[in-house]
Every structure is written in C-alpha cells, then in structure tokens.
Amino acid sequence: MTKYIFITGGVVSSLGKGILAASLGRLLVSRGYKVSIQKFDPYINVDPGTMSPFQHGEVFVCDDGAETDLDLGHYERFINTNLSQINNVTSGSVYQTVINKERKGEYLGATVQMIPHITGEIKSRIIQATKKDEPDILIAEIGGTIGDIESLPFIESIRQFRSEIGFGNSMSIHVTLLPYLPTSGELKTKPSQHSVNVLRSYGIQPEMLVLRTQVPIGKNEKEKLALFCSVNKNCVIECKDMDTIYEVPLYLEKQGITNEILNFLKMENKNPDLSDWEEMIENIKHPKKEATIALVGKYTELNDAYISVVESLKHAGYKNSAKINIKWIASENITTDKEACQCLSDVDGILVPGGFGTRGIEGKLKVIKYAREKNVPYLGLCLGMQCAVIEFARNVAGLENANSTEFDKNTEFKVVDLMEEQKNILGYGATMRLGSYPCKIKVNSKAYKAYNNDLINERHRHRFEFNNEFKELLEQKGLLISGTSPDGLLAEIIEIPENDWFVACQFHPEFKSRPQNPHPLFLGFINAALNQK
C-alpha cells in the first residue's frame, strides 16, 4: 500500500517546505521508489489563476491545464514527472465541491459541516492522488503556518487520515525556523518548541523536525529539541541555506534523512543512485563559462513571478557548464530607444516572458527592437512572442501603430487579437487556452534544430493569438512562422532567420524544463548567447 509523508511548517511562512518536499521526492526516486507530491493551499481562491503574481508568485500550468501553485514546478523538476490538477488542492476548490454537492442534494438533507464533509472531501483528494499515480510514497505539503485559521481543516483531515490508515503507514515532518541572534551568538529553539506544541494541540505529533537555519546547529540544540518535542535525536535535521536549491537533496542525504524516513515507514532502504545529481551539482558549483541574460518583465520586483523562467535559464547553463547571471529589467522603466541601449549594452541575451495588461508594453517593444537590430539573441515567451510580432509589424512591415487588441481595441492593425474561442467567454478563472497542445514545426528552422523533431507538445496559458490576416505580409517582410498548430490555424513559434537567434513562442516552454534535461528552446537560446559572447 502507499505510504504517506505529511509536511507542515511553523514559526514563519516561506520556509521552503516545497523545496523540502521536492528534495525528499528526489531522494526517494533515487532509491527506485515511485513518488507523487501533493500541495494543499489554504487560500479560498479555487486556484491561483486569477491572482496577481505579486500575491502568490508564478502560476504553474500542468499538462491537463491545471493552474497551480509554483511549488508544483519544483516537484516536477526534482522528481522529473508530470503532475496534474489533483496534485494541487485549495480550500476554495474543496469548499466549491462540497457546496455544489449540497446544492444537488447529494448529502441527503444532512447539515453540511466542517466535519465530516469538508474534512471528508480533503481526505478524498488524498485518495484520488493515490489512485491516479499509484505511488509507493505520496508526499503532501500543507501550505501556510501552523496556527493559521485557514489551514485547520487540512490539519484535522491529516489527523483523521493518519488514524484511519494506521500511524506506521504515514509520517509527519514539521519544518521550523531556528533564529540566530548575532548579538549573543545563540540559536534559539523556543519558537520551534512552541510551534510543535501548537501542532500537538491539533492532535499531530511530528516524527521528524527539519530546521531552517543560517548557521550550523550544535549538538546541544539538537538534543534540546529532541527532548522537548518528543522526537528521536536522529530525526532532528538541519537544513541550512545552500548556494543552489538543487544541492538540498544531497545535504539532507548526508544527514541520513531518507534512512530515518524509510525505517519509520518500514520500507526497504535501497542504495541510492545520486551520481548524475552529484555530477550536475559539480557543474553548477564550478562553471567554466558565464553569460548575462536580461529578463525584461512587469513583475521584476518579485523574482518568484518568473521562477520557472529563471530555473530554465539555469538548466541550460548547467548543460553548458556555464553560470547564468540574470539582469532584472522593469520594462516600464524603458521609455526610449536610448534607455534600452543603455540597459542592454552589457547583456549576452534578452528574454521577454509572459504577462498580462498594458503596463510596460512599450518598454518591451523597445527592448525587442534593440535585440532584432543589434542581433542580440532573443527568446520571447507567450506575451514575449506577441510583442515581437507587434514590433516587427511596426518597424519592419511598416504597419504604423500595429498592436494587440488586448492593449488597444481600436487599433487599425490588429496583428494580435483575441482567440475566436475566447470571444464569448465571460469569466476569468480557468477560462484561457490552458494545458498541453501539439505544434508542427517547419524543417530547416531554428526551432526544428533545437527540438530535432517536427511534432512537439507544449503547455499554454493565453487568450490572444497571432492574427493570420497579417501572416502573408509579415512573412514577405522576413518573419518566419516556424511552428503552428497541426491544422495551421494558430501560430505557435516565430523566428527571424537572418538573426543568429531570434525565436519566440506562444506557449510556455519553461514549464517543461528540467535541471538534467533543459528545454530545447532555452538550450538553443543560451548556446547562442554563449557563442556571441
């Protein structure tokens, strides 16, 4: 039967529970176990699709079109698998399901309550994930911080679930912060003790503590926490800040975390094969080259808004034994061609990611013009492709003030327009073109050279598309539409053949990149940047 690991967090938020879950997944996969990971988010939104990236960071999209928490990106990258809607559960989706069932009379007139109906629905999502993937081990991360009102239904559901399946078949891991006071030179254990006491008050005794810290934890602090939190001292694990998140699994492995987990769950402790992961870390820590990439976006104040893009750039760098430096540029700060030149004169490549809304669009167009005219390697993602089409239409094809109807509904030249299937949609949640779709690639294009394949599948998240009314004109002026939907109706990839690398795509390739298997378009882009450098 499937075994379960439940991860909670205390003291403060943003402790890296997602990285821990992903790292444990990596370590278990390295022992030959099949692993799936599930995220429970306490917010009332049905999914993060309608949230501003400033609120919750990037929206990660799965093959099935699920708009999910960014932690699912970490899960997929670390355990090298494709997840789905069932792997991301929110309070909003749970409440919505329960209320819909009540409206249909499925509870046969019963009073609908937190227990058993909400907790029952949460437990059913755990079972659904188990049945779908049939993993040997399911890791479930509970978002938020112990003590938050919002997460209580999830904590209670876990308490019930562990009791129902037998405690030896599941394990509770609590992640806390160990603050360091430089004035006294002390690590303080009291916040972690209080956090565990709160978790206990909800009926859950953790079997393991993972302690986030800036400095190494001494033997005395570990023994103190083991004593006061009723945890085996071998299960008090240090997790200090690392140079790269991909080093975390190896650091945890050295402390025997996987041995302790498998012993507790009464599972065979197979020999791990981490040689390829160790080789990757060696490349990360000792690069032979480097390149600087300008990431020109709208949400640059919060790096998590583009976390998959940044990781994908790094993945391509790892493959080349190269360090990739990111130069963050807020597109709204670029108002003239001269400012674009000043900002970009020291970069080896330019990337414009996805986004929504008019803010910063003119700055992006100036950046793209610079990349095209100066033959600086360019990669455009989703909105980055649409902006590349607009820039080309204005400055090469002579379509003055060409635009997208997203930014100007009355523009004379609608080179980017709302997709036909989107025109009668009224709501916002999960109504875009979402998920994996096929793309046919032209032979002899840069995209074909990158993929080495003429038929691919990529993940989408957009409402607007290239307007085919302008296809013939733009192609005559030198734009190559190198990738389309199989029926030829949707432009998926554009290129400027005369440039060393000017490629933009309507989809989001960053969602399919892996640290040991970088995405072909990112790899082609970084190769071009390194060659030009």
Side-chain angles (χ1 to χ4, degrees):
M1 73 182 275
T2 297
K3 304 281 187 170
Y4 301 86
I5 299 172
F6 296 103
I7 299 176
T8 55
V11 183
V12 295
S13 59
S14 302
L15 283 175
K17 297 190 299 296
I19 299 298
L20 173 65
S23 297
L24 291 180
R26 177 74 254 167
L27 294 174
L28 292 164
V29 166
S30 75
R31 283 166 165 79
Y33 286 109
K34 185 178 181 182
V35 177
S36 187
I37 311 181
Q38 198 171 29
K39 174 71 183 286
F40 292 93
D41 264 315
Y43 52 73
I44 307 298
N45 303 65
V46 174
D47 58 49
T50 57
M51 292 189 202
S52 163
F54 288 124
Q55 289 282 315
H56 206 66
E58 165 192 274
V59 175
F60 187 83
V61 179
C62 298
D63 277 346
D64 65 349
E67 294 176 288
T68 69
D69 182 79
L70 60 83
D71 277 328
L72 267 76
H74 291 311
Y75 304 162
E76 286 201 356
R77 289 187 283 270
F78 274 70
I79 65 174
N80 193 27
T81 191
N82 294 327
L83 302 177
S84 65
Q85 181 68 73
I86 194 57
N87 295 94
N88 193 198
V89 180
T90 68
S91 290
S93 68
V94 170
Y95 296 151
Q96 185 181 61
T97 299
V98 170
I99 290 171
N100 287 342
K101 286 182 178 180
E102 184 273 330
R103 291 289 85 187
K104 293 176 183 177
E106 292 186 24
Y107 295 121
L108 304 176
T111 301
V112 179
Q113 297 175 291
M114 191 66 69
I115 302 172
H117 300 100
I118 296 297
T119 55
E121 180 61 30
I122 292 170
K123 289 185 289 184
S124 77
R125 303 292 179 96
I126 300 173
I127 297 300
Q128 287 175 47
T130 305
K131 288 182 177 178
K132 176 185 176 296
D133 297 324
E134 297 183 341
D136 299 310
I137 300 172
L138 177 68
I139 301 172
E141 176 200 346
I142 314 303
T145 307
I146 286 300
D148 292 346
I149 293 173
E150 294 91 344
S151 61
L152 286 176
F154 292 111
I155 302 302
E156 170 60 17
S157 300
I158 290 170
R159 185 196 66 77
Q160 294 178 19
F161 188 82
R162 295 193 69 193
S163 176
E164 291 163 4
I165 66 171
F167 286 101
N169 295 315
S170 70
M171 186 174 192
S172 169
I173 300 178
H174 194 52
V175 187
T176 71
L177 176 69
L178 226 58
Y180 176 71
L181 301 183
T183 51
S184 61
E186 289 182 297
L187 279 169
K188 307 305 289 185
T189 65
K190 195 65 71 178
S192 295
Q193 293 177 47
H194 284 306
S195 183
V196 170
N197 282 338
V198 174
L199 187 58
R200 282 170 168 172
S201 73
Y202 298 149
I204 296 178
Q205 165 64 51
E207 283 81 34
M208 178 175 284
L209 296 181
V210 174
L211 308 168
R212 290 302 313 279
T213 176
Q214 293 177 301
V215 298
I217 303 173
K219 180 182 177 182
N220 290 340
E221 285 85 2
K222 285 191 175 184
E223 290 180 347
K224 187 175 182 180
L225 283 163
L227 176 65
F228 285 103
C229 298
S230 301
V231 173
N232 186 305
K233 64 180 180 181
N234 292 331
C235 291
V236 179
I237 305 295
E238 173 185 295
C239 189
K240 67 178 185 180
D241 299 341
M242 309 299 292
D243 294 333
T244 169
I245 58 173
Y246 300 114
E247 202 174 357
V248 174
L250 299 181
Y251 189 75
L252 295 174
E253 178 69 14
K254 287 178 182 177
Q255 298 179 71
I257 189 171
T258 326
N259 298 342
E260 296 299 330
I261 289 172
L262 293 174
N263 287 340
F264 182 84
L265 294 176
K266 296 180 175 59
M267 300 179 74
E268 182 184 354
N269 192 357
K270 307 172 185 178
N271 290 325
D273 182 5
L274 290 163
S275 56
D276 58 342
W277 201 264
E278 290 168 345
E279 183 179 341
M280 180 185 73
I281 297 300
E282 188 67 19
N283 284 338
I284 293 173
K285 299 185 83 169
H286 301 99
K288 297 179 177 65
K289 297 170 280 188
E290 66 179 289
T292 299
I293 302 300
L295 200 160
V296 186
K298 178 179 176 182
Y299 312 107
T300 52
E301 297 94 329
L302 181 67
N303 295 358
D304 275 359
Y306 302 113
I307 192 164
S308 287
V309 174
V310 171
E311 292 305 311
S312 299
L313 289 169
K314 291 179 180 178
H315 300 164
Y318 303 157
K319 190 75 171 180
N320 284 281
S321 190
K323 178 184 179 184
I324 303 302
N325 304 306
I326 309 293
K327 183 174 183 179
W328 296 91
I329 298 176
S331 57
E332 60 189 309
N333 293 337
I334 298 178
T335 58
T336 65
D337 290 339
K338 183 178 179 181
E339 287 177 342
C341 183
Q342 290 171 342
C343 286
L344 301 168
S345 60
D346 60 345
V347 304
D348 305 303
I350 298 168
L351 187 149
V352 174
F356 300 93
T358 59
R359 183 164 64 87
I361 293 300
E362 292 302 319
K364 292 178 182 179
L365 297 179
K366 287 177 170 53
V367 163
I368 294 168
K369 180 184 177 186
Y370 177 91
R372 178 180 57 79
E373 292 182 344
K374 302 294 184 182
N375 193 23
V376 177
Y378 174 76
L379 180 61
L381 313 177
C382 197
L383 180 61
M385 173 183 142
Q386 296 171 5
C387 287
V389 169
I390 295 168
E391 190 280 326
F392 190 90
R394 287 184 185 181
N395 299 315
V396 179
L399 302 178
E400 187 178 358
N401 297 322
N403 216 330
S404 166
T405 52
E406 181 182 5
F407 315 132
D408 181 2
K409 293 182 180 179
N410 300 314
T411 181
E412 181 181 359
F413 303 114
K414 303 175 181 179
V415 293
V416 176
D417 199 4
L418 190 65
M419 301 181 73
E420 192 63 36
E421 64 199 60
Q422 290 287 319
K423 290 184 177 178
N424 296 318
I425 290 176
L426 300 178
Y428 288 102
T431 56
M432 287 183 276
R433 187 174 193 252
L434 292 165
S436 182
Y437 289 87
C439 170
K440 185 77 173 174
I441 298 179
K442 288 184 179 178
V443 180
N444 299 325
S445 64
K446 288 184 173 65
Y448 181 84
K449 185 178 179 181
Y451 282 101
N452 194 30
N453 200 334
D454 64 353
L455 185 63
I456 59 167
N457 284 273
E458 294 285 0
R459 301 179 188 181
H460 290 248
R461 186 176 185 249
H462 64 106
R463 296 184 190 279
F464 291 80
E465 65 175 331
F466 176 88
N467 188 345
N468 284 325
E469 291 179 16
F470 297 90
K471 179 179 179 180
E472 184 177 351
L473 172 62
L474 297 187
E475 286 190 322
Q476 287 175 357
K477 295 295 182 178
L479 189 74
L480 172 64
I481 299 175
S482 59
T484 66
S485 54
D487 59 13
L489 296 180
L490 179 65
E492 294 275 24
I493 308 174
I494 65 156
E495 302 178 12
I496 298 179
E498 65 184 34
N499 284 41
D500 292 340
W501 180 274
F502 191 105
V503 178
C505 53
Q506 183 57 76
F507 46 81
H508 288 270
E510 68 269 25
F511 295 146
K512 295 185 73 173
S513 186
R514 305 284 191 261
Q516 295 172 300
N517 186 22
H519 191 281
L521 292 185
F522 279 90
L523 193 57
F525 173 56
I526 292 301
N527 285 341
L530 290 168
N531 288 338
Q532 189 169 97
K533 182 179 179 64

